[in-house]
Amino acid sequence: MPIRTGDRPGLGGAAKLVADRARSLVRLELQLAAAELKQKVAAIGIGIGLVVVAVLFGFFALAFALAAAAAAIATTTSVWLALLIVTGALIVVGSLLAAFGLASIRRGTPPVPEQALEEARLTAEAVKNGTH
């Protein structure tokens, strides 16, 4: 069946049709992205909630373990001395963790991607000079 010239859109009509389809495609992509982000945010929220509860349980477990350690030590010494020994151990461990944490923070500051900046500078120079 031959196609009549009146059935085909002209160049302007074809351009409008392409633009309309492109807008529709972009709109659908944005809707998909929004739905995907909602799913991911919900999953992250649930994950954060579960981690917070796990940390709380871990805190209580640690407290009971330390109480058990103090009770075990108290079988051979007086209670006050057992509690003092556990407290001293906690202070030593906490101090060591704080020292290592501060050292790690110092190594990471300032948070500037120095290697990436150097690569970008070298790339810019290479483009400016026309070298590969």
Side-chain angles (χ1 to χ4, degrees), residues 10-115:
L11 185 58
K16 182 182 179 324
L17 183 64
V18 168
D20 288 344
R21 296 249 169 105
R23 272 192 292 276
S24 177
L25 184 61
V26 167
R27 195 174 316 112
L28 288 172
E29 290 290 335
L30 288 173
Q31 289 172 352
L32 176 64
E36 190 176 345
L37 282 176
K38 281 182 187 176
Q39 273 185 326
K40 288 185 184 247
V41 166
I44 289 171
I46 290 170
I48 288 172
L50 291 173
V51 167
V52 166
V53 171
V55 166
L56 187 63
F57 273 90
F59 172 75
F60 283 120
L62 179 63
F64 276 94
L66 292 171
I73 295 170
T75 60
T76 60
T77 65
S78 60
V79 174
W80 69 268
L81 184 58
L83 291 173
L84 191 60
I85 290 169
V86 171
T87 301
L90 286 173
I91 289 172
V92 168
V93 169
S95 298
L96 287 172
L97 289 173
F100 289 134
L102 288 173
S104 180
I105 289 171
R106 285 190 192 108
R107 277 195 307 272
T109 55
V112 177
E114 294 168 358
Q115 285 181 319

